[in-house]
Amino acid sequence: MKYVCDICGWIYDEEAGDPERGIAPGTKFEDLPEDFECGICGVGKDSFSAE
C-alpha cells in the first residue's frame, strides 16, 4: 500500500520502504516509528492518507 503526504504529495510506498532513512522494504506504515516524518516537508504520520 502507498501513503501520500497531504501537504506536499510525497509518497511512502510500503513495498519500497525508505532505504535512505533506514526503513527496510516491506515495512508497513503502521510499523513506522512514531517520529517518522515526510521525506520532503517533514510533517508527521498523521498528515498522510492511504492511497
Side-chain angles (χ1 to χ4, degrees):
M1 182 170 275
K2 295 180 182 179
Y3 291 81
V4 180
C5 176
D6 297 330
I7 306 303
C8 72
W10 183 75
I11 297 173
Y12 175 74
D13 182 348
E14 292 179 336
E15 283 187 31
D18 191 354
E20 291 178 7
R21 298 188 321 168
I23 299 171
T27 302
K28 299 285 186 198
F29 188 79
E30 60 264 18
D31 294 334
L32 292 172
E34 287 305 312
D35 62 352
F36 176 81
E37 296 179 343
C38 173
I40 294 178
C41 70
V43 297
K45 288 172 68 175
D46 59 342
S47 294
F48 281 76
S49 298
E51 183 176 77

